[in-house]
Amino acid sequence: MSAFDVVVIGAGPGGYIAAIRAAQLGKKVACVDAWVDAKGNAKPGGTCTNVGCIPSKALLQSSEHYEQAKEHFEEHGIEVGSVKLHLDKLIGRKNTVVSQNNEGIKFLFKKNKITFISGKASFAAKNADGTYAINVEGKDAQSLTATHVIVATGSAPRALPNLPFDEKQILSNTGALDIDKVPKTLGVIGAGVIGLELGSVWRRLGAQVTILEAAPTFLFAADEAVAKEAQKLLTKQGLEIEVGVKIGEISQTAKAVTVPYTTAKGEEKTLKVEKLIVSIGRVPYTDGLNADSVGLKLDERGFIVVDDECRTNLPNVWAVGDVVRGPMLAHKAEEEGVAVAERIAGQHGHVNFATIPAVIYTTPEMAWVGQTEKQLKEAGRAIKVGSFPFMANGRARALGDTSGFVKIIADANTDEVLGVHIIGPMASELIAEAVTIMEFKGAAEDIARICHAHPTLSEAVKEAALAVDKRTLNM
């Protein structure tokens, strides 16, 4: 039986990063992960690398190129003739990107002298000396002893009641990444990140896409101004979006899926599509963990119960990422993984939930950090707001994408930045400046006084900060 200072269960963003940081701090580390391909080869990286963040961004990029070539190259004086889609090559490129990331993680394990074990790990017992016995089933079946255990088993897609995923017609994010033929009609239930991104991919490639959302407002988690602009722009692109709907009993035949629903106005409608993506959230994945054997506490929704520092109810057992409270985001999992590894080593790991950014990689992209204008007003906070459109940004004009804006919300008295909301080109990259400023409790004036290179999209962030004080220079 091999003994380790730290055994990490799960090699997704939270798990593999926790393993690396623990190894950097001098711990003897093993990381166990169950993900394998059809041939049984290990594929570390979790949902993010295999069927989430990485492959979806690869498809978004490819589909964006396809649409640009079909509809926008002529604006730049480029004539390409007939544009043909080879879906097998497009999916193949996505798979290559995923494999490269898998291999990159394996390399990092070797570089940091981490023992990587391919298999499914579960608790076997709590030993008399306070260590934990871990059982591994699968390719590298064995027994382990761990002084500390970090559970990073992630999450799984939530299915509709009585409608299991078959990944052929009823698709989770997994099946939606591997459709072998562009469907003429595609339905999406859920207008969250996954629904909007994957809906955008297949719309660009030629599908007629209808998105049904139960919430009464579109992107209720986003700032109202961003949500309103996003719905307008995505609808203009060709996505059909209905909010406030109530889904009836879904039926399917060999060729179609029928979705009856009631609109927000009470109208009875039916959506008939070739394929249906269900993206109504995710559930923590604890199946097979054998938590009961050691008394690991789960809450009523299946999440592992942790305190503010990711400690479970068991000594030296920690949990991070999607399997615990908080936003189900890869970067949140990574930060928790680093913090836990540092706490195990006697340091003071830190995660600030108030400055975790959110991103949606549609076109235009959306990104935000901090509170929305509505949240701050409901809390009675005195605020001032500045906004600047990309229409007035020189780099955006040169790129040919002037949609959207940057919005900055600051405290009316102290000028501290309380929220930044962006919809527009490269919003996912621009939000990092806002996160940095907010992490240091900086002011809108700080952003306004920092020299931004010209011409760049980031100048829109500076101009929005200037707008907080009603002194924009380029509008």
Side-chain angles (χ1 to χ4, degrees), residues 161 246 318 430 472:
K246 184 177 180 181
W318 314 72
L430 297 176
T472 55

Side-chain angles (χ1 to χ4, degrees), residues 156-307:
R158 184 192 301 276
L160 285 166
N162 304 314
L163 192 72
F165 296 113
D166 59 23
E167 305 302 8
K168 297 184 185 300
Q169 275 188 315
I170 310 300
L171 311 172
S172 70
N173 55 291
T174 301
L177 293 165
D178 278 312
I179 300 174
D180 58 5
K181 180 182 178 182
V182 178
K184 291 182 180 179
T185 53
L186 175 69
V188 181
I189 297 180
V193 176
I194 295 171
L196 291 176
E197 290 184 358
L198 293 177
S200 293
V201 166
W202 294 107
R203 181 204 61 77
R204 292 172 190 164
L205 297 179
Q208 179 183 329
V209 179
T210 302
I211 299 177
L212 303 178
E213 169 59 51
T217 56
F218 182 67
L219 285 179
F220 60 90
D223 187 85
E224 286 184 344
V226 168
K228 183 179 179 180
E229 183 74 1
Q231 186 169 9
K232 180 185 76 175
L233 293 171
L234 292 173
T235 299
K236 185 178 180 181
Q237 291 171 13
L239 286 177
E240 295 183 25
I241 302 169
E242 288 214 47
V243 299
V245 307
K246 184 177 180 181
I247 305 294
E249 186 174 346
I250 298 172
S251 59
Q252 61 185 123
T253 65
K255 294 184 178 180
V257 182
T258 302
V259 184
Y261 66 96
T262 306
T263 70
K265 295 180 179 179
E267 300 172 284
E268 300 292 335
K269 289 188 176 182
T270 299
L271 175 66
K272 192 172 184 179
V273 292
E274 291 181 23
K275 295 183 184 294
L276 180 70
I277 298 173
V278 178
S279 57
I280 56 172
R282 300 180 65 82
V283 294
Y285 185 77
T286 55
D287 289 356
L289 196 57
N290 200 21
D292 291 342
S293 68
V294 289
L296 180 63
K297 187 177 180 181
L298 310 181
D299 69 14
E300 65 280 358
R301 296 182 297 161
F303 289 95
I304 296 175
V305 177
V306 293
D307 64 12

Side-chain angles (χ1 to χ4, degrees), residues 47-69:
T47 293
C48 175
T49 292
N50 292 299
V51 293
C53 318
I54 302 303
S56 63
K57 303 312 165 281
L59 290 186
L60 281 160
Q61 188 66 60
S62 295
S63 64
E64 176 72 11
H65 285 323
Y66 178 66
E67 187 169 67
Q68 286 289 326

Side-chain angles (χ1 to χ4, degrees), residues 64-65 67-80 83:
E64 176 72 11
H65 285 323
E67 187 169 67
Q68 286 289 326
K70 281 185 64 179
E71 300 183 16
H72 301 292
F73 274 10
E74 190 176 344
E75 300 169 16
H76 297 269
I78 303 170
E79 185 176 336
V80 295
V83 179

Side-chain angles (χ1 to χ4, degrees), residues 334-471:
E334 290 179 347
E335 295 304 309
E336 287 181 330
V338 169
V340 164
E342 291 176 348
R343 288 162 188 154
I344 288 172
Q347 298 182 6
H348 300 282
H350 170 75
V351 180
N352 183 359
F353 277 76
T355 55
I356 294 175
V359 182
I360 302 177
Y361 295 85
T362 49
T363 299
E365 291 185 348
M366 291 168 261
W368 61 87
V369 62
Q371 294 176 281
T372 66
E373 184 173 353
K374 181 180 179 181
Q375 288 171 334
L376 290 163
K377 286 181 176 178
E378 288 177 347
R381 192 82 177 257
I383 59 173
K384 49 186 179 178
V385 179
S387 185
F388 189 81
F390 283 104
M391 181 68 74
N393 177 268
R395 182 66 191 280
R397 291 196 194 105
L399 288 173
D401 185 356
T402 57
S403 58
F405 55 83
V406 179
K407 176 178 178 179
I408 295 177
I409 309 169
D411 185 277
N413 300 309
T414 67
D415 199 39
E416 179 186 349
V417 177
L418 304 175
V420 177
H421 308 271
I422 307 174
I423 176 170
M426 302 305 290
S428 59
E429 302 295 336
L430 297 176
I431 200 64
E433 178 180 10
V435 174
T436 302
I437 285 289
M438 289 180 63
E439 187 66 33
F440 288 94
K441 295 190 177 298
E445 182 72 10
D446 292 324
I447 300 175
R449 291 290 179 184
I450 294 171
C451 182
H452 290 65
H454 175 78
T456 60
L457 296 172
S458 67
E459 288 177 288
V461 179
K462 177 187 175 91
E463 290 280 0
L466 287 166
V468 169
D469 197 38
K470 295 181 172 55
R471 64 179 208 268

